[in-house]
Amino acid sequence: MGSTTDKIKGTANEAIGKAKQGIGEATGSERLQGEGVVQEVKGKGQKAMGDAKDAAKEAMDRAAAAARRAAE
């Protein structure tokens, strides 16, 4: 998956997780609240993975540019 896909899925999972938590609180469902927490954390992890992929790509691009300049 690309970094953008990770970030989009992460944002969606965070939002769904928060919604589940709210519905769980409103209905008194501890199970739904727990599922919401897990899904929200999963979303945060997906977003972090997308950020890490972006950072790695930027570092590789900078290293490649530096190598090209050094070869000139």
Side-chain angles (χ1 to χ4, degrees):
M1 260 189 293
S3 64
T4 302
T5 302
D6 287 332
K7 290 177 185 180
I8 290 168
K9 286 185 175 185
T11 299
N13 274 318
E14 275 190 87
I16 293 167
K18 287 179 183 179
K20 282 184 178 179
Q21 289 175 60
I23 293 168
E25 287 177 24
T27 61
S29 173
E30 290 181 11
R31 185 183 122 278
L32 195 55
Q33 286 178 351
E35 286 177 12
V37 169
V38 170
Q39 192 160 5
E40 183 179 356
V41 170
K42 177 183 175 183
K44 288 180 181 183
Q46 286 172 314
K47 286 172 60 176
M49 180 62 78
D51 290 340
K53 286 179 180 179
D54 280 344
K57 183 182 181 319
E58 289 172 14
M60 297 220 10
D61 289 346
R62 284 193 304 272
R68 279 193 300 275
R69 284 192 302 273
E72 293 174 348

